[in-house]
Amino acid sequence: MKRIKMGCTTLSIPAMALGIMRMNQKSVLEAQVAIQAAYDAGINFIDSADIYGGGKSEEIFGQAFSQMQIKREEMFIQSKTGIVPGKRYDFSKEHILHSVDEILERMQLDYLDSLVLHRPDALMDPEEVAEAFDQLQAAGKVRFFGVSNFDTAQFKLLQSCLSQRLMFNQLQFSLKHTGMIDFGMHMNMVDKPSVDRDSQFLDYARLHKVTVQAWSPFQYGMFEGTFIDNDGFPKLNQELQKLADKYEVGKNAIAAAWILRHPANIQMLVGSMNPQHIRDSAKGAKIRLTRQEWYDLYLAAGNYLP
Ligand SMILES: NC(=O)c1ccc[n+]([C@@H]2O[C@H](COP(=O)([O-])OP(=O)(O)OC[C@H]3O[C@@H](n4cnc5c(N)ncnc54)[C@H](OP(=O)(O)O)[C@@H]3O)[C@@H](O)[C@H]2O)c1
């Protein structure tokens, strides 16, 4: 598995992580098979969130992982907090501290390697977040911190009050969700792709050494389904198949290779719970698409260049 530097540190992390948002739909045994398939492919990084399956994903993970042979320190385990489903976003100190205690209990862990704030809270008080982070780190409950779905200004604002450097920003990115890169190629035009949707976070991340984590790498829309083998996307699937044949892998590997080909050293969050799909996705980390292949896929996904 390709390894990348984590944020501004010299620590290395795998270029793919296993996201457990969908683990609530699996048995403990099925979860173990998925975790083992990922681990054997070099994916020793887990991404979770307190809200996944209303907490059930983390419970299943805890039951599964605690019975496996993988040592705790060999797996980087991250979770997220800050969304109270259907009610509010909540970055209050009280909520963050309480949420971490619950995450640790559900996942049967003593500490998290990383805690990520899930979605910007309009009422965020950065100094209050800083207090929560300091307290969690001092108590040995969380090693590193990050954010998710933050734009550049929100990121800078929070960072300015923290004693820790933020390591991650988790953003949606796939062949069918390319806002982060469309903008740069449609600079100063008046068409739809020229809208700056993320305030150029990808460039900021490269300049300031923040790891961008790409969520939903095989999905179109927001969890509408996968574009892989989906009749709604014939051109894209034709192109994926052509390259899958060339590199002797499946389509997941090519869709993954497309994300990892970007020079920002993105970490991709694979959400599959199917060991075959996990293994095939991991093969994408070994493929370096040519520039032409990368652009052919971008265009086959329905994008255009000025
Ligand atoms: N920060 C955020 O706001 C945010 C939001 C969403 C997700 N996330 C994170 O990102 C992770 C990944 O998200 P995701 O699960 O949406 O990503 P994904 O990996 O794009 O999608 C996984 C889904 O696609 C299906 N799939 C993948 N390859 C397939 C194939 N070849 N044929 C048929 N179905 C296929 C999987 O089914 P199988 O299980 O059958 O393979 C699964 O249902 C999550 O687990 C979570 O950790 C973060």
Side-chain angles (χ1 to χ4, degrees), residues 19 22 47 148-149 170 215-216 218-219 252 271-273 277:
R22 301 167 195 270
D47 178 68
S148 172
N149 304 304
Q170 215 170 96
W215 59 265
S216 292
F218 307 123
Q219 299 278 306
N252 286 61
S272 173
M273 292 288 112
H277 293 158

